Amino acid sequence: MYRSHNCGELRASHINNEVTLAGWVQKSRDKGFIVWVDLRDRYGITQLVFDEERTPKTMMEKAQKLGREFVIQVTGTVIERASKNPNIPTGDIEILVSKLTILNDALLPPFTIEDKTDGGEDIRMKYRYLDIRRNPVKNSLIFRHKVTQEVRNYLSKEGFIEVETPYLIKSTPEGARDFVVPSRMNEGEFYALPQSPQTFKQLLMVGGMDKYFQIVKCFRDEDLRADRQPEFTQIDCEMAFVEQEDILNAFEGLTRHLLKEINGVTIDKFPRMLYDDAMRLYGNDKPDIRFGMQFGELNEVAQHKDFGVFNNAELVVGIAVPGGNSYTRKEIDKLIDWVKRPQVGALGMVYCRCNDDGSYKSSVDKFYDQDDLAKWAETTGAKPGDLICVLSGDKNKVRAQLSALRMELAERLGLRKPGEFAPLWVIDFPLLEWDEETERYHAMHHPFTSPKPGQLELLETNPGDVKANAYDLVLNGNEIGGGSIRIHDKKTQSLMFDYLGFTPEEAKAQFGFLMDAFQYGAPPHGGLAFGLDRLVAILGGQETIRDFIAFPKNNSGRDVMIDAPAPIDEEQLTELNLKLNLKS
C-alpha cells in the first residue's frame, strides 16, 4: 500500500497515529538541523519534518537532497505542529518521518507548480501535464467533472436516455469546414468528424427514443479564439412530440438545477427576448443583461442638423455610461482610440457629457443645442453624471461596434460580476441569412430548422422575413445553448433544401438517409445543445474555456505538447491512397 491517507486528510484528531503518505515534493526548507518538506497530491498538502535529533543521519541527508516534484513515499507519526498554518486544512499537524522512499526523482520544472506561477501560457501548454498539478487547473477539471455529473444525473432523472452516436460519419454542410478522415478500405473516400450529432439525434426520434442526450465531442475546422477549440464538447439533447415551449421549460429546469447545485444561486425567471429586440437594444444576439446601457437609436433626434456624419449614416445609436461624466478628456480620447482599433472598426465616436446641473457638453456642440442634447439623453436613458457615447454608420456594423464598446465599458466599470447570473432566452431568429459572397441565402442555424408556424408561405415572397422556430439560451453575455424545432416531414424538408440552393440530386446524395427516414413516421421533434466547455467556464466564473479542458489546443489549432498535427510518412500516404499537393 503506497498510502494510508491522502495529503489533504489528516487533522489534529490523527495525532500519534502512524501513517503512510505519497505524493510530490512541493517545496522544502533546509535549516541544517531540521528539514521541512511540503508533500502534495490532488487532495492537498501535508508538511513533513526531519530533524537531526530524531531522524537517522542517512535519512536526514536523503531528505536534504529532495528536489521540487520528486515523487516520494513516507511513513511517520502525526504530531502537533508548533507553528500552525491556518491557510491549509492540514495546518495543525505535521508528520515526523521515520521512513523515506524516493519513488522517482524529477528534473527542475520549467515553471513553478504553484497557484501563481511564473510560466507563460505557451510554456504551460507545452508541459500541460505539469500545469494540471497546479490548483487552478486541477480544480477547474474537478469542477468540470462535478458539472458533468450533475447534468447526467438531472437528465437521467427526467427520463432522457444517453445514446452514443458515430464519430466517423458523412461530410455534410453545417456552416463550418469538416475535419475529414481518409478511408483505407474505401479508396478515394472519406469520413468526416461530426460538427454535431444533428441528423443522428433526429433519427433517434424517428426510432422512438423520445428523450435523448449525449455528452459528446464535436469537431469544426474554423478559426479559433479564447472560447473556441477545434474539438469541443456538447450536451446534445432531443425530444419528440414537443413544441418550443416544452423545450424551453425542460432546459430552464436543467440550467436552474446547475446554478443551484453548483453555484448556490436560485434563479426564478428566464426572460424571453426577440432576436430583433436583442439586436436593436444590445447590438448582438447574446446580450449580457446583468447591467443596463441599452442602445438608444438617435436618427430622429440627430439627423435634422448639418452634421453630415450623422445625416449620411443608416443608423445613429448611443449608450449612456453610468458615471461616465467623471472621465477626463484623456480617458475619452482613449475610448475613441479603442473603437477605432481594427478589431472594432469604428471611424470615430461622438460623446456628450451630462453635467450634474442638467446641462450638456458634447463634442459636436457646433451642430447641436441643449434641447437637442436633452433628447439624446432622454432616448439613451442618460442621467446627470453620465456620458453618452454615440456611433454611426451602416446599421449592422455600427450595432456590432457599439456592442463591443458596451461590453468593454462594462468590464472597466466592474459591471460583469462573475458571481451574478442572468439567463435569457433569445427567440424568433431569422430562418435564413443572405450571404454576399455566394449571393444566396444560407440557413442561420442549419437546414433542418423549422420555420415558425404559419410562415412557410413567406419563403416564396420574402424569404429574409421568415422567422425560425429556433432559440438560444444566453448566460451572462454568452450563448451557452441553442436549438430549434425541427422539420419532420419530407415535403417541407425538400422545400427547405430547394430554397437553400440544393438540387434534388445534391439533397438526396447528402441527406437521402434522413429524407427516407421521414417517410416512415417521423414525430414532431426538437432539441437543444449546450456548449459544455463554455457552460462550465461561466459557472466557474471565467470567460475562457482552456483551463476547463485537460489538453487544449492553441490559437493555431496545435497541441504543442504532443506536437500535433504532424506529417505522416510516405508509407501511410500510400496505404491511404493519398498524394500531397502542398502550396509552396
Side-chain angles (χ1 to χ4, degrees):
M1 184 170 65
Y2 277 107
R3 56 188 179 186
S4 61
H5 298 78
N6 64 55
C7 293
E9 187 175 354
L10 298 172
R11 303 291 186 271
S13 59
H14 294 95
I15 288 174
N16 295 325
N17 288 3
E18 184 177 78
V19 298
T20 300
L21 303 180
W24 288 264
V25 173
Q26 175 73 22
K27 61 182 177 181
S28 62
R29 300 173 297 284
D30 183 2
K31 299 296 184 181
F33 63 93
I34 190 168
V35 177
W36 288 285
V37 174
D38 287 347
L39 188 67
R40 182 195 74 243
D41 64 10
R42 176 186 129 190
Y43 307 95
I45 288 178
T46 297
Q47 181 168 284
L48 315 177
V49 61
F50 305 81
D51 71 61
E52 60 185 13
E53 292 184 3
R54 295 175 288 182
T55 302
K57 182 178 180 181
T58 54
M59 189 188 301
M60 192 75 177
E61 292 173 348
K62 195 174 182 180
Q64 290 171 325
K65 294 178 182 178
L66 292 175
R68 281 180 178 264
E69 302 307 311
F70 275 41
V71 185
I72 64 173
Q73 179 191 45
V74 297
T75 297
T77 303
V78 182
I79 62 175
E80 185 175 5
R81 188 163 166 169
S83 179
K84 294 181 172 56
N85 182 354
N87 297 319
I88 58 174
T90 60
D92 289 344
I93 59 94
E94 59 189 3
I95 310 300
L96 178 62
V97 178
S98 58
K99 182 180 179 182
L100 168 63
T101 303
I102 297 177
L103 300 174
N104 217 332
D105 58 11
L107 296 173
L108 185 68
F111 53 88
T112 54
I113 313 297
E114 295 176 359
D115 290 4
K116 293 185 178 179
T117 182
D118 56 357
E121 186 176 54
D122 290 344
I123 193 74
R124 287 188 289 109
M125 287 188 72
K126 181 174 177 61
Y127 296 93
R128 183 64 167 180
Y129 45 85
L130 297 180
D131 202 26
I132 290 173
R133 295 181 190 174
R134 296 192 312 112
N135 284 327
V137 182
K138 176 198 73 177
N139 292 338
S140 293
L141 295 180
I142 294 171
F143 183 81
R144 181 187 177 113
H145 162 76
K146 183 179 179 182
V147 173
T148 303
Q149 291 304 106
E150 288 293 341
V151 169
R152 277 200 164 95
N153 292 340
Y154 181 87
L155 291 176
S156 297
K157 288 178 182 176
E158 291 295 312
F160 286 80
I161 305 300
E162 187 168 11
V163 182
E164 290 187 24
T165 54
Y167 279 143
L168 296 175
I169 66 168
K170 185 176 188 176
S171 182
T172 58
E174 290 199 38
R177 296 182 186 89
D178 287 327
F179 285 101
V180 295
V181 181
S183 170
R184 178 183 58 82
M185 293 181 289
N186 300 276
E187 183 177 346
E189 296 185 330
F190 296 80
Y191 299 105
L193 300 180
Q195 295 183 34
S196 77
Q198 180 62 48
T199 53
F200 287 101
K201 65 183 178 182
Q202 292 191 251
L203 291 171
L204 286 169
M205 296 302 101
V206 177
M209 291 306 295
D210 196 68
K211 289 183 175 181
Y212 140 93
F213 86 98
Q214 182 181 190
I215 297 178
V216 59
K217 273 277 186 270
C218 301
F219 308 86
R220 290 179 186 170
D221 186 5
E222 56 189 352
D223 294 336
L224 305 182
R225 56 177 186 250
D227 62 344
R228 182 181 287 170
Q229 289 275 300
E231 51 183 322
F232 57 96
T233 306
Q234 283 186 352
I235 308 167
D236 197 55
C237 307
E238 197 81 1
M239 303 168 70
F241 301 108
V242 290
E243 296 177 335
Q244 177 176 291
E245 197 64 24
D246 300 308
I247 301 285
L248 303 193
N249 289 333
F251 296 106
E252 276 183 24
L254 173 58
T255 309
R256 192 177 282 116
H257 173 80
L258 292 175
L259 287 167
K260 179 67 174 176
E261 295 300 317
I262 302 297
N263 299 91
V265 173
T266 300
I267 300 290
D268 294 324
K269 295 183 179 179
F270 282 64
R272 314 283 172 85
M273 183 180 295
L274 299 177
Y275 169 87
D276 289 343
D277 289 340
M279 298 303 294
R280 178 176 57 85
L281 295 173
Y282 298 98
N284 68 67
D285 58 6
K286 48 182 185 298
D288 190 337
I289 58 170
R290 286 175 295 179
F291 57 96
M293 288 197 280
Q294 289 186 353
F295 291 9
E297 297 190 353
L298 300 170
N299 288 40
E300 289 188 9
V301 295
Q303 290 186 324
H304 64 292
K305 295 295 179 75
D306 295 329
F307 188 48
V309 172
F310 285 177
N311 292 341
N312 297 325
E314 183 180 9
L315 178 65
V316 183
V317 63
I319 54 173
V321 183
N325 193 29
S326 63
Y327 288 2
T328 65
R329 176 58 191 269
K330 186 176 181 181
E331 288 174 317
I332 294 175
D333 286 343
K334 285 184 177 179
L335 274 184
I336 295 172
D337 289 339
W338 191 90
V339 299
K340 287 181 175 180
R341 298 180 316 145
Q343 300 94 314
V344 180
L347 297 178
M349 183 184 85
V350 170
Y351 66 89
C352 174
R353 294 182 180 276
C354 303
N355 298 319
D356 292 337
D357 63 4
S359 65
Y360 302 95
K361 178 65 178 174
S362 84
S363 56
V364 286
D365 279 344
K366 178 180 176 181
F367 301 97
Y368 297 94
D369 59 29
Q370 292 291 297
D371 289 341
D372 294 323
L373 300 177
K375 292 176 182 176
W376 292 18
E378 181 182 356
T379 305
T380 59
K383 297 178 175 60
D386 292 350
L387 179 75
I388 304 172
C389 296
V390 182
L391 301 181
S392 62
D394 174 80
K395 180 175 66 175
N396 293 331
K397 288 181 180 178
V398 79
R399 281 176 172 167
Q401 292 160 1
L402 192 60
S403 175
L405 177 61
R406 176 179 179 268
M407 296 295 278
E408 175 66 17
L409 287 166
E411 199 72 47
R412 296 184 186 189
L413 293 168
L415 301 177
R416 304 192 70 206
K417 300 172 182 176
E420 185 180 332
F421 296 94
L424 169 73
W425 287 108
V426 177
I427 60 175
D428 289 7
F429 283 78
L431 181 68
L432 307 172
E433 57 185 343
W434 182 257
D435 186 288
E436 296 288 349
E437 189 174 328
T438 60
E439 294 188 337
R440 65 183 181 91
Y441 282 105
H442 290 263
M444 180 170 268
H445 283 76
H446 52 62
F448 317 108
T449 297
S450 173
K452 295 287 283 188
Q455 295 204 357
L456 188 61
E457 294 76 14
L458 275 177
L459 279 173
E460 291 191 21
T461 55
N462 297 293
D465 293 340
V466 180
K467 298 299 182 186
N469 210 341
Y471 34 81
D472 279 357
L473 182 54
V474 176
L475 185 61
N476 295 0
N478 292 272
E479 178 200 332
I480 61 168
S484 65
I485 299 298
R486 323 301 186 190
I487 297 169
H488 66 278
D489 65 279
K490 182 177 180 179
K491 181 180 177 182
T492 306
Q493 188 63 74
S494 298
L495 187 62
M496 180 60 66
F497 286 144
D498 287 344
Y499 282 108
L500 293 174
F502 289 87
T503 66
E505 293 74 25
E506 288 171 336
K508 182 172 178 57
Q510 295 197 21
F511 301 108
F513 61 93
L514 185 65
M515 306 285 276
D516 290 345
F518 284 174
Q519 298 179 106
Y520 291 94
H525 60 282
L528 179 142
F530 287 87
L532 179 64
D533 311 294
R534 193 175 303 170
L535 173 63
V536 171
I538 295 168
L539 294 177
Q542 303 293 322
E543 286 288 317
T544 59
I545 65 176
R546 277 187 185 159
D547 279 352
F548 296 90
I549 299 173
F551 300 103
K553 307 288 191 293
N554 67 12
N555 284 341
S556 299
R558 296 197 65 83
D559 185 326
V560 294
M561 182 184 68
I562 64 173
D563 194 22
I568 60 175
D569 61 35
E570 195 65 38
E571 185 177 342
Q572 282 181 288
L573 289 171
T574 301
E575 191 174 39
L576 294 169
N577 302 297
L578 294 177
K579 185 176 182 180
L580 299 182
N581 182 21
L582 300 177
K583 297 177 181 178
S584 57

